Amino acid sequence: MDSGYPGPRSTELFFQRESTGCAHVPSPDQSLMKGEPTLPRLRQVEGREWWLWGFAIAVTLILTFGILSLTFPGFHLPTDKIHVMSLREWVRGLAALVLLFDVYTVYQQLQLQRVRRKLAERDRLFQLISENAADMIAVVDNQGNRLYNSPAYQKVLGYSQEELAGSSLEQIHPDDRSRVQGASEKARITGRGERLEYRIRHKDGSWRVLESTASVFRGANGETEGLVVVNRDITDRKRAEELLVHSAFHDGLTNLANRTLFLDRLGRALATSRRHSDFKFAVLFIDIDGFKIFNDSLGHDAGDALLIQISERLTNCLRRADTVSRPRQRDDGEAAIGDSTLARPGGDEFVVLAEDLRDPSDAVRVAERIQQRLALPFGVEGHEIVVTASIGIAFNIDSKTEAPDLLRDAEIAMYRAKHTGKARCEVFDNAMHAGALKRLQLETDMRRAVDNGEFKVYYQPIISLLNDSIVGFEALTRWHSPKGLVMPNDFIPVADETGIILAINRQLLPEACRQLLSWQQLFPSDPPLSLSVNVSPKQFGQADLAAQIGSLLQESGMNPRCVDLEITETIAMADAERSGGVLAQLKALGVGLDIDDFGTGYSSLSRLQRFPVDTLKIDRAFVSHMDTDRETHEIVRIIVMLAHNLGLKVVAEGVETQAQLELLRGLGCEKAQGYLFSKPVDHETILKLLERGGPLTIAGRSEAVGSAELAY
C-alpha cells in the first residue's frame, strides 16, 4: 500500500523500508521545525527563557550566599548608623533587582505562551486541513519512517492507519515498481522530488492511478530532514482521458476503429512491408448496397441497429479468417501490426486490413467469405433484412504508396464493383485510378459549367399519331463545354449521383417553362402545347419534391395540366409504397404523370394500377427493333394493350423509321417521338418548326447528338 510517496517527487521511497514505529500526527514543535515562519522567533524566545532561568539561579545563589554569610563566624553586624544604612540600601537594591527580574521573566513567559498558542492553532489548522483534504498527505523522515499519514489514505485506498505502517512496494503495479524506485532513489540523492504517475492496488483489489508530488523540509543547518508528500487520486481523470482518446480513434456507433486509427494501422503495415519484402497485405473496402433505401424506409435508429449487427458479424467473420492477422510476434522480435484490422470510416462503409497474405487470392477469399456471411438475413425491429456488399481490394504493390492513397485505391475499386452490378468484388488497377481522376475532373468542370451557364435546354417534339402535329416537347439538357459538346451519357449519370443535376435543373427548368408559355401564346391549340420533364433519382428522393414543383409552377405561371413529369420505371418500383405516396402528392398539383422507359424495369401490374399515372412511354430499345423482330413487335403490342386496359395513354420513344411509325399507328399508340420527326434542338429551331405548321413526319436527318432528359 502507499506509504506517503510511492511516486516521483519524493526524496524517500516510503514503502522502501519498514517504519520503525506507528504513524502519528506531529506535535506543534515538530510542525514548527518543518520550516514555519515563526521558527526563528520561537528559538529566540527559548534562548531568552534559558538565559532567564540561568540568571535566576545565579541571583538566587548570590542571595543565598549573602544571607548565609551573615551567619558565618567572625561576621559582626555593624552598630553605627552609617553602616546600617548602607546595608539597608544594599538589601533594598537587591530586592528591586529581583523584582525587575521577576517582571521581565513574567513578560518573557507570556511571550512564549503566546507563540505556543499560535503554534498550537497552526497545528490544529494543519490537522483540520490534512484530515479533511481529498489528497493523501504524508510526512516522512530521512530514514523512511512515516511521521504522519492523513485520513485520506483510508478513504482513497481503503487501508487503516495500522496497515499503513508497513511497506507498500507489493501494492505498486509490477510494471511501475522499477520506475517508482528509480524516482525515489534520485530524489533521495538530489533532494529534489519529481512528479510521477503510477498505479497502486486498492484494498478491494482494483487498481488506482496516483499522481505524487513532494517537498523537502530542512533543519537549522539547511540539511534535508524529510519530506512532505502529497498523493492525488487521478483514476477518474485518467479514465476520462482514455475515453477521449478512444473516442478520437474509434467509431461511436460500432466501437470499431475509425478512419484516423485505420490509416495509422495501414501506415505501420506499409512501413513493415518496406522493411520486409515478404510481408504482403491488402485493404478491403466494403460498402453495403442499397443501405440508404433501408435507412429511409425504417428510420435512422433501425439503420444504426443494422450497422451494429453488420459490424459484429464482420468482426466474427474476420476472427475465423486465417488470412487476417491476429496480434503476434514476428521472428525478428518486432510486434505484429495492430490488433484493429476492421474499421468503419463512416456511413455504411467498412474497411479491413488483411495482413501477412501468402497470395493475392487470399484477399479475394476473405472478400467472398464476407459476402457470404453478410448474405444471411439480419433481424431488425421485427423485419428480416437481407443485404449485399460491394467490395474493392487494393494491394501494397508500390513501396512508395502512402496509407491514404492505398485506402483511396480500395475505395475506387469498390465503386467499380458497385457500378458493374453490386454484390461484387473488384481488384484495383491503374486504369481505375485514371478513371477516378477523369470523373473528378468531370465533376469540377460541371460545377464550373453551372456557374458559367454552359448548360442549355434542348427540345424534342412529341407528335400526335392521329394528325402528325406537334403536341408537346420533352425538355433535354445539353452541355456546351469550351472543349466542345459533351455527350449526355457521359455527364448525366455523374451529375445525378453527385447531386449536381439539382443545380442544373434549378437553372434550366424555369427557362423551359418560360419558353413553353411563349410558344403557347404564339401558337395556340386545343389542348395547348405541353412540356415533359424527367424526374431524376436524386430529385425523386427529396422529401419536398411536391413543394418544389408547386413553387415552380406558381412562380412561372404555368398551367399544371401542361406539364408532364416522367418517372422511370426503375425509380417508381424501387420502393413502391413510398413511390405511391410521392406520386399522389405530385398528382394533387394537377400535373400529368408518365412512367418512362417502360419495359426495362421490374414492373408489377398490380402496383402500376394503384399509381395515379396517365401515360406509359415505351422504351426506345423495343421501338427500334419492332419492325425487324417479331418478338419485340409482340412485346410492344402487349404493352399498348395493357396500357389501354388500364386507361393509360402510350408514347413511343426512339421512332426512327416510317415502318416503325406505321406499326405503332396500327397498334393504336397515341403519341411518338424520335429522330424520324426531329432530333433534340434549340428553341430557335423549334420556333421554325412551329412556324412551318402542318404535319411533321420527317425532319432533316443530321448526325445524332444523343439526348439526356432534363430531370427536375
Side-chain angles (χ1 to χ4, degrees):
M1 75 115 284
D2 184 35
S3 55
Y5 181 54
R9 289 197 57 191
S10 170
T11 57
E12 290 292 330
L13 184 61
F14 303 146
F15 52 76
Q16 188 174 3
R17 61 190 71 185
E18 295 292 333
S19 174
T20 57
C22 296
H24 64 280
V25 178
S27 67
D29 288 340
Q30 288 173 319
S31 297
L32 189 64
M33 292 300 292
K34 292 179 175 57
E36 297 286 351
T38 56
L39 179 59
R41 188 174 182 183
L42 176 61
R43 289 177 175 173
Q44 183 181 16
V45 172
E46 288 179 340
R48 289 179 181 178
E49 185 179 26
W50 283 108
W51 180 84
L52 286 174
W53 285 113
F55 182 72
I57 292 173
V59 171
T60 302
L61 290 175
I62 292 173
L63 290 175
T64 302
F65 178 77
I67 294 173
L68 291 176
S69 67
L70 297 177
T71 64
F72 289 166
F75 181 82
H76 300 282
L77 293 173
T79 58
D80 58 282
K81 289 184 177 181
I82 296 175
H83 285 89
V84 171
M85 291 178 63
S86 298
L87 179 61
R88 187 179 298 163
E89 292 297 327
W90 182 80
V91 172
R92 288 175 178 174
L94 184 61
L97 180 62
V98 171
L99 179 61
L100 290 174
F101 171 74
D102 290 340
V103 171
Y104 180 75
T105 301
V106 171
Y107 170 75
Q108 292 295 339
Q109 190 65 27
L110 291 175
Q111 288 289 92
L112 184 60
Q113 289 299 323
R114 186 177 66 84
V115 172
R116 283 175 174 168
R117 284 195 300 271
K118 187 175 182 180
L119 291 177
E121 182 64 23
R122 285 176 176 266
D123 183 68
R124 188 188 69 81
L125 183 60
F126 166 76
Q127 293 185 42
L128 182 64
I129 293 175
S130 62
E131 290 176 2
N132 291 278
D135 293 343
M136 296 169 284
I137 303 173
V139 180
V140 64
D141 62 18
N142 284 339
Q143 286 70 44
N145 299 321
R146 278 175 257 161
L147 305 178
Y148 174 72
N149 286 308
S150 69
Y153 274 93
Q154 185 168 3
K155 296 178 181 177
V156 175
L157 297 177
Y159 298 101
S160 65
Q161 290 290 338
E162 292 74 17
E163 292 171 313
L164 291 174
S167 171
S168 63
L169 182 59
E170 295 301 322
Q171 276 69 44
I172 303 297
H173 195 283
D175 295 341
D176 297 338
R177 289 176 189 171
S178 60
R179 185 162 50 89
V180 173
Q181 288 178 311
S184 176
E185 185 67 21
K186 180 180 178 181
R188 183 165 48 252
I189 296 173
T190 63
R192 294 190 303 272
E194 297 178 353
R195 185 181 301 272
L196 183 69
E197 295 179 3
Y198 68 97
R199 289 162 290 178
I200 190 169
R201 185 185 296 110
H202 191 278
K203 190 173 182 178
D204 62 9
S206 63
W207 292 102
R208 310 295 293 179
V209 182
L210 301 185
E211 179 184 67
S212 184
T213 58
S215 301
V216 299
F217 65 88
R218 305 181 185 276
N221 56 3
E223 295 182 355
T224 299
E225 293 187 352
L227 293 171
V228 177
V229 184
V230 178
N231 288 294
R232 175 169 296 175
D233 182 12
I234 60 171
T235 305
D236 293 338
R237 190 187 79 189
K238 297 297 291 185
R239 288 174 179 170
E241 291 174 354
E242 292 172 357
L243 181 60
L244 288 175
V245 172
H246 183 84
S247 299
F249 293 100
H250 290 79
D251 171 52
L253 178 64
T254 63
N255 203 35
L256 297 176
N258 61 11
R259 182 185 182 89
T260 301
L261 180 56
F262 184 82
L263 287 175
D264 176 73
R265 302 290 188 188
L266 184 54
R268 292 169 58 186
L270 285 167
T272 301
S273 68
R274 295 185 185 109
R275 294 192 300 269
H276 306 279
S277 59
D278 60 334
F279 181 78
K280 302 297 182 183
F281 66 91
V283 175
L284 284 70
F285 201 106
I286 306 167
D287 184 87
I288 306 303
D289 298 326
F291 179 79
K292 185 178 184 304
I293 297 176
F294 171 83
N295 207 33
D296 294 341
S297 301
L298 296 183
H300 293 285
D301 291 341
D304 290 345
L306 177 60
L307 289 174
I308 293 173
Q309 291 191 40
I310 291 174
S311 68
E312 293 173 350
R313 189 172 293 185
L314 286 174
T315 301
N316 294 331
C317 174
L318 295 175
R319 284 174 180 167
R320 296 185 177 92
D322 57 0
T323 56
V324 178
S325 70
R326 302 265 68 83
R328 63 191 184 283
Q329 201 77 9
R330 294 180 58 90
D331 295 338
D332 56 6
E334 181 180 359
I337 304 302
D339 53 358
S340 294
T341 57
L342 175 64
R344 178 179 177 241
D348 59 335
E349 299 171 343
F350 298 86
V351 286
V352 175
L353 178 60
E355 303 171 33
D356 211 7
L357 303 178
R358 296 182 299 272
D359 187 85
S361 61
D362 290 341
V364 177
R365 283 195 292 271
V366 173
E368 292 174 348
R369 184 189 298 246
I370 290 173
Q371 289 176 324
Q372 291 172 1
R373 293 299 302 274
L374 292 181
L376 300 177
F378 292 90
V380 179
E381 297 183 354
H383 300 274
E384 188 175 87
I385 307 299
V386 178
V387 302
T388 60
S390 298
I391 303 177
I393 303 175
F395 295 98
N396 60 321
I397 299 175
D398 188 352
S399 60
K400 298 181 180 180
T401 301
E402 298 297 332
D405 299 329
L406 194 58
L407 182 60
R408 175 207 63 202
D409 294 345
E411 186 175 9
I412 291 173
M414 180 275 295
Y415 278 115
R416 172 64 64 86
K418 189 174 289 290
H419 290 159
T420 54
K422 301 182 180 181
R424 295 170 53 87
C425 172
E426 289 283 347
V427 178
F428 175 82
D429 58 36
N430 291 329
M432 292 183 184
H433 188 200
L437 291 177
K438 182 179 179 182
R439 174 192 170 94
L440 179 61
Q441 185 61 49
L442 180 62
E443 291 183 26
T444 303
D445 292 343
M446 279 194 294
R447 298 183 192 279
R448 174 188 50 77
V450 172
D451 296 335
N452 295 341
E454 296 176 9
F455 291 101
K456 306 296 181 182
V457 185
Y458 273 45
Y459 306 88
Q460 185 172 37
I462 298 176
I463 309 302
S464 170
L465 298 187
L466 297 178
N467 54 19
D468 294 334
S469 62
I470 299 176
V471 294
F473 306 92
E474 182 172 2
L476 309 166
T477 302
R478 290 293 179 271
W479 181 9
H480 291 274
S481 168
K483 300 177 182 178
L485 185 66
V486 181
M487 299 301 293
N489 291 337
D490 293 336
F491 74 87
I492 288 295
V494 177
D496 185 69
E497 184 176 335
T498 59
I500 299 177
I501 192 71
L502 303 179
I504 296 174
N505 293 335
R506 283 194 297 269
Q507 187 179 84
L508 298 187
L509 190 54
E511 176 186 341
C513 290
R514 290 192 298 269
Q515 187 62 65
L516 182 68
L517 286 173
S518 174
W519 290 335
Q520 287 178 342
Q521 293 173 359
L522 292 175
F523 308 99
S525 60
D526 186 22
L529 296 173
S530 64
L531 181 69
S532 295
V533 179
N534 271 291
V535 178
S536 72
K538 183 71 68 176
Q539 192 75 20
F540 194 76
Q542 293 190 318
D544 61 342
L545 174 60
Q548 293 182 45
I549 298 291
S551 177
L552 175 65
L553 294 174
Q554 185 176 4
E555 292 175 2
S556 64
M558 192 81 168
N559 186 342
R561 296 182 179 180
C562 297
V563 176
D564 292 323
L565 300 181
E566 299 184 2
I567 296 92
T568 63
E569 181 183 18
T570 302
I571 298 175
M573 297 302 173
D575 185 351
E577 183 175 351
R578 179 185 178 278
S579 296
V582 175
L583 293 175
Q585 294 175 5
L586 295 174
K587 189 64 178 177
L589 298 175
V591 299
L593 296 179
D594 301 349
I595 297 297
D596 195 15
D597 299 336
F598 188 81
T600 60
Y602 305 94
S603 289
S604 168
L605 293 178
S606 60
R607 291 178 179 176
L608 183 63
Q609 188 176 9
R610 295 197 299 268
F611 287 168
V613 298
D614 304 291
T615 304
L616 292 185
K617 298 192 73 172
I618 304 175
D619 187 75
R620 68 183 71 247
F622 298 105
V623 175
S624 61
H625 295 92
M626 64 178 298
D627 57 337
T628 58
D629 184 81
R630 178 174 293 182
E631 292 183 358
T632 303
H633 178 272
E634 184 64 16
I635 291 174
V636 174
R637 186 188 68 82
I638 293 175
I639 292 175
V640 173
M641 181 186 66
L642 290 174
H644 288 164
N645 289 338
L646 294 174
L648 305 178
K649 296 180 180 179
V650 180
V651 178
E653 297 181 299
V655 179
E656 298 180 353
T657 66
Q658 191 68 31
Q660 295 168 359
L661 177 62
E662 296 303 328
L663 290 174
L664 290 170
R665 278 202 179 101
L667 295 176
C669 181
E670 289 86 358
K671 301 176 185 178
Q673 64 185 93
Y675 280 27
L676 176 65
F677 311 105
S678 174
K679 65 180 182 180
V681 292
D682 57 25
H683 67 93
E684 295 178 351
T685 305
I686 292 294
L687 181 60
K688 294 178 181 179
L689 290 176
L690 292 173
E691 289 176 344
R692 189 179 66 179
L696 181 62
T697 55
I698 58 172
R701 287 183 173 272
S702 59
E703 181 180 357
V705 294
S707 67
E709 293 81 0
L710 178 60
Y712 186 80

